[in-house]
Amino acid sequence: MAKKKPVKAMKKAARKPIARSAARKTSRPVSKKKPAKMAARKPGKPANPWFDGSAKPLIGEYAQRTQSFINTIADGKVTNDELKAQENRLSGAMKEVEPLLGAPLHDKITRLLCELAAYDFMQALHGMQQSRPETVFRG
């Protein structure tokens, strides 16, 4: 019959941090110091809230203020290189956040990202429809 560990020893072992894999350690240095912006913020108070008291999301406005967006639309064209660069920024952000999420939160954020993508696509289509002339020229 195997000996059972005392409850106190099990609780102590549960508090120990889980070791990171060697691949994770070599892929990116981990800073123990929080950036000044994050340290000054109170927990639960986001720097960029998703709403301003209305039901309309503010994410689109934040996106339009990013330097990458401003640089891309400056000439009124989105090139293949600019699109690929944005895809890389998106993939990088997703790869950074995904390991931090538990399964229930991962599912909720996946739904949020899908709804956001659908909303952005619908907004773009709606904008194009609004800019079309209502009458057709018959000459």
Side-chain angles (χ1 to χ4, degrees):
M1 192 168 188
K3 284 186 176 181
K4 291 186 178 180
K5 287 185 179 181
V7 173
K8 201 177 222 181
M10 290 191 315
K11 285 182 179 178
K12 189 175 181 181
R15 285 192 301 248
K16 287 183 182 178
I18 298 170
R20 293 182 177 199
S21 68
R24 176 77 175 169
K25 286 181 183 177
T26 58
S27 66
R28 187 181 79 201
V30 177
S31 171
K32 302 255 183 201
K33 202 173 184 182
K34 286 185 177 180
K37 218 178 207 184
M38 298 221 20
R41 236 179 355 134
K42 293 179 182 177
K45 296 280 185 178
N48 297 312
W50 292 346
F51 300 97
D52 64 354
S54 68
K56 185 177 180 186
L58 297 173
I59 299 295
E61 291 178 26
Y62 297 143
Q64 291 175 13
R65 287 188 236 147
T66 62
Q67 196 60 50
S68 59
F69 182 82
I70 292 168
N71 293 343
T72 297
I73 65 159
D75 61 1
K77 298 175 187 174
V78 180
T79 66
N80 288 338
D81 290 340
E82 290 167 333
L83 188 59
K84 184 66 176 170
Q86 182 61 34
E87 182 181 329
N88 290 338
R89 283 189 293 276
L90 174 62
S91 295
M94 291 170 76
K95 287 175 183 175
E96 184 180 343
V97 170
E98 188 175 33
L100 304 175
L101 306 174
L105 187 56
H106 186 279
D107 293 343
K108 288 180 180 184
I109 291 179
T110 299
R111 182 173 162 251
L112 180 140
L113 290 171
C114 290
E115 295 294 343
L116 178 61
Y119 178 71
D120 287 343
F121 188 64
M122 285 184 221
Q123 263 192 324
L125 288 175
H126 180 19
M128 289 189 310
Q129 290 170 349
Q130 295 298 316
S131 65
R132 287 185 191 161
E134 291 184 25
T135 59
V136 177
F137 176 74
R138 297 180 190 181

